[in-house]
Amino acid sequence: DIQMTQSPSTLSAFVGDRVSITCRATQSVNGWLAWYQQKPGKAPKLLIYKVSTLESGVPSRFSGTGSETDFALTISSLQPDDSATYYCQQYNSYPLTFGGGTKVEIK
Amino acid sequence: EVQLVESGGDLVQPGGSLRLSCTASGFTFSTSLMHWVRQVPGQGLMWVSRINAGGTTIIYADSVKGRFSVSRDNAKNTMYLHMYSLTTDDTAVYYCAKDRGGDLIGLWGQGTMVTVSS
């Protein structure tokens, strides 16, 4: 199984800050890496897939980078609506696996 | 509107059984690969199972293999998760989700809560 590790587990920043979340896989996921946003009491929402492709309707302040085993989600200018937990996920092989999540808080 | 609605979540005793349903609307369910994913409240996401469009190929996470069974009725636009021999570790919100293609989970239902407790 491919294990996914995210860091940090919690991130606190000001509105307008640039923030990044990292995600590391235990083996190459061949670019099949997605990011989801989850707000309290809600289902996850797909933000980015195939490392860097933005899902339709997702603000352009979100971006994804990386390759092989190391990936990052960056929010270029943090907004109040971005307060949520973010998960990376590999869909290269089964079982599909998620990172442990990063909770983003607004100071 | 593309929508997935889960139902059937309940309080069940350890060792018990439960069947969850996921009803789809707004898209062609019969050609869609579907997933179940669960989340212990306050914790992360865990993929549970995937069923192909025809219901002939199903993959399970090791932790549920032999205890959970997934099926679908394309005429009713509904997928099912049959859960047996439930333990307290199965307590979670269960989400059904639609595959976007290439095993990418694109759309999630709102989830249904399963509580296993005596």
Side-chain angles (χ1 to χ4, degrees), chain A residues 33-87:
Chain A
L33 190 285
W35 290 94
Y36 297 88
Q37 176 193 65
Q38 186 179 34
K39 295 185 177 181
K42 301 293 187 182
K45 171 190 167 185
L46 177 64
L47 289 180
I48 287 170
Y49 59 96
K50 211 163 186 317
V51 179
S52 60
T53 302
L54 220 59
E55 174 71 338
S56 175
V58 173
S60 59
R61 63 181 179 272
F62 290 92
S63 63
T65 57
S67 64
E68 300 296 331
T69 60
D70 293 294
F71 304 93
L73 172 70
T74 298
I75 307 173
S76 61
S77 177
L78 191 66
Q79 299 301 305
D81 190 52
D82 301 336
S83 179
T85 300
Y86 295 83
Y87 294 93

Side-chain angles (χ1 to χ4, degrees), chain B residues 23-99:
Chain B
T23 301
S25 59
F27 64 96
T28 307
F29 179 76
S30 61
T31 61
S32 298
L33 188 151
M34 300 291 293
H35 300 265
W36 287 99
V37 178
R38 72 184 185 186
Q39 183 174 37
V40 174
Q43 296 189 23
L45 299 161
M46 191 199 95
W47 172 84
V48 172
S49 182
R50 183 220 82 174
I51 184 168
N52 71 336
T56 56
T57 305
I58 306 168
I59 307 173
Y60 298 97
D62 284 348
S63 59
V64 306
K65 201 174 296 183
R67 300 188 303 117
F68 288 14
S69 174
V70 176
S71 63
R72 62 192 295 163
D73 184 337
N74 287 340
K76 294 183 178 180
N77 285 350
T78 301
M79 175 177 65
Y80 303 99
L81 178 63
H82 310 259
M83 302 184 291
Y84 307 95
S85 302
L86 285 161
T87 74
T88 55
D89 289 342
D90 297 315
T91 294
V93 175
Y94 285 75
Y95 296 100
C96 69
K98 178 185 178 299
D99 196 278

